[in-house]
Amino acid sequence: MAVGTTHHTIVSTQSHLWNCKNSRLDETTTKVGLVSIRSSSPGNRKLGLVCSSGSKSSIIDPVQLPSSGKGYHSPKRSSESSLILIRHGESMWNEKNLFTGCVDVPLTPTGVEEAIEAGKRICNIPIDVIFTSAMIRAQMTAMLAMMQHRRKKVPIITHKESEQPHSWSQIYSEHTRKQYVPVITAWQLNERMYGELQGLNKQETAERFGKEQVHEWRRSYEMPPPNGESLAMCADRAVTYFKDQVVPQLIAGKLVMVVAHANSLRSIIMHLDKLTSQEVISLELSTGIPMLYIFKEGEFLRRGSPAGPSEASVYAYTKNLAQYRQKLDSMVQ
Ligand SMILES: O=C(O)[C@@H](CO)OP(=O)(O)O
């Protein structure tokens, strides 16, 4: 099956990327499966809708986050940056339908294809710094995606676990330094710890404990699985890390990519989109689909999933991205 077709199938079986409770599933959007999100508190936020036909997608109505002054404050108020979020490609335990959590499982060949396809979709979007979890499935995805980037910068993992690996990995050429993208790995972005469900089959667990109980363990905000982390506990570390380490990079004008996991990213998206604990129950992320946010004047503006490197709508939103793409077009590859 062609890579592009694989993506469409995956997304449409899972119905959506951002699908919140009470969301309206528009028939015309199900092909790539993105739907609008209705806010539970009317007037708080406008709907964002990405719709698709064939292999193209475009954004109809960008999300407006509240302009209540609660956003991040940047010293350079006019600065604008972008944030790409990607859930890793299919892992060997996704394929077997096993609870994975903090077990460090690699990608399947399909996951490798998904990562490459994700890279093609974002190959015109500049990336200055990459954050991944400490897990191999996220790191494989980040590296494979970067192989597709037109700028051909080399992603290099930054080892800061102690002084020695850090000092032993210094780069002594200014020219070479300009040609790399630092990859910062952080356990805080790891998948939620699934406790005693890790390694169990999801279907068999639902049969044993009941579908509703298992759904609550998997999707509710507050309820942890037995001896594992709830989404709230996962958010405590993942969102804290995001605020402490990722946001300062964006404020400094850096273009950032974060490659992580279904639930660590659900907690981050819940924060970015200001979803309630009810709304986040229905938030599902497909493997290997990039999601773009523009960070502007201290606010995150969700821009959907770039369908391909030449998708005009992604670049139409920001002058910087458009200029960067023009520059890439004019460069001899
Ligand atoms: O098993 C896991 O670690 C996660 C992600 O694959 O499962 P869930 O579908 O419950 O988010």
Side-chain angles (χ1 to χ4, degrees):
M1 187 184 283
V3 170
T5 324
T6 309
H7 265 295
H8 285 189
T9 310
I10 288 165
V11 180
S12 47
T13 40
Q14 294 198 5
S15 302
H16 49 264
L17 281 176
W18 283 294
N19 181 11
C20 284
K21 208 160 191 144
N22 303 326
S23 60
R24 178 171 47 85
L25 198 60
D26 182 329
E27 283 299 309
T28 60
T29 69
T30 53
K31 201 145 187 205
V32 292
L34 290 169
V35 296
S36 56
I37 293 175
R38 234 186 259 282
S39 170
S40 60
S41 36
N44 194 29
R45 177 173 68 240
K46 277 177 76 181
L47 301 181
L49 177 63
V50 179
C51 83
S52 312
S53 80
S55 62
K56 296 237 159 63
S57 93
S58 58
I59 293 138
I60 294 176
D61 186 4
V63 168
Q64 303 288 311
L65 297 175
S67 53
S68 55
K70 285 187 194 144
Y72 292 97
H73 292 292
S74 151
K76 290 194 275 169
R77 296 282 300 175
S78 62
S79 78
E80 178 178 282
S81 193
S82 65
L83 169 70
I84 297 166
L85 304 178
I86 309 183
R87 179 186 173 197
H88 63 81
E90 182 196 69
S91 77
M92 291 179 78
W93 278 17
N94 289 145
E95 188 185 35
K96 291 179 189 291
N97 203 24
L98 304 182
F99 285 100
T100 313
C102 285
V103 183
D104 205 354
V105 177
L107 299 183
T108 60
T110 301
V112 169
E113 275 191 19
E114 287 174 345
I116 292 170
E117 180 65 16
K120 287 182 185 160
R121 288 179 176 213
I122 56 166
C123 71
N124 281 316
I125 301 174
I127 295 168
D128 296 324
V129 55
I130 299 169
F131 290 88
T132 76
S133 75
M135 314 198 89
I136 192 75
R137 55 193 187 272
Q139 295 180 12
M140 284 176 82
T141 302
M143 296 301 181
L144 289 164
M146 282 308 285
M147 300 300 118
Q148 302 302 315
H149 202 274
R150 287 177 69 198
R151 188 64 183 74
K152 299 289 175 218
K153 282 194 178 181
V154 180
I156 296 180
I157 294 182
T158 306
H159 287 282
K160 285 198 171 159
E161 51 275 23
S162 70
E163 179 50 33
Q164 187 160 308
H166 183 50
S167 64
W168 282 15
S169 60
Q170 292 297 308
I171 299 166
Y172 292 94
S173 155
E174 185 59 28
H175 174 73
T176 307
R177 253 203 305 271
K178 282 189 185 143
Q179 297 305 314
Y180 95 101
V181 181
V183 180
I184 298 163
T185 64
W187 72 267
Q188 292 90 334
L189 297 173
N190 284 2
E191 182 53 294
R192 65 158 346 148
M193 205 277 279
Y194 247 122
E196 290 165 20
L197 299 188
Q198 285 181 180
L200 302 191
N201 181 282
K202 290 174 182 171
Q203 177 65 33
E204 287 167 14
T205 308
E207 282 159 17
R208 184 165 153 212
F209 294 97
K211 266 189 185 169
E212 276 176 21
Q213 171 65 81
V214 172
H215 186 258
E216 204 165 350
W217 283 335
R218 293 179 69 184
R219 291 293 170 264
S220 76
Y221 184 64
E222 297 288 354
M223 160 112 32
N227 286 318
E229 278 185 310
S230 64
L231 190 63
M233 291 152 84
C234 177
D236 245 7
R237 53 159 167 103
V239 176
T240 304
Y241 181 85
F242 182 85
K243 287 180 184 169
D244 291 349
Q245 303 296 326
V246 179
V247 172
Q249 298 276 354
L250 293 163
I251 290 174
K254 299 276 186 213
L255 303 135
V256 178
M257 176 163 89
V258 176
V259 186
H261 303 263
N263 294 292
S264 52
L265 287 174
R266 282 175 75 227
S267 70
I268 290 171
I269 291 170
M270 181 182 180
H271 168 67
L272 299 180
D273 288 0
K274 298 182 169 62
L275 303 182
T276 65
S277 54
Q278 270 306 302
E279 287 172 324
V280 80
I281 292 172
S282 307
L283 177 63
E284 298 275 352
L285 303 185
S286 296
T287 48
I289 305 291
M291 294 162 273
L292 177 70
Y293 284 80
I294 300 299
F295 180 72
K296 199 172 180 179
E297 295 172 0
E299 299 284 342
F300 285 95
L301 308 171
R302 181 156 53 81
R303 292 309 186 211
S305 180
S310 57
E311 186 196 356
S313 60
V314 167
Y315 304 98
Y317 288 112
T318 116
K319 220 159 94 186
N320 291 357
L321 291 189
Q323 281 169 353
Y324 183 85
R325 190 182 154 207
Q326 270 170 17
K327 203 168 129 195
L328 284 176
D329 286 344
S330 66
M331 276 167 60
V332 182
Q333 295 287 310

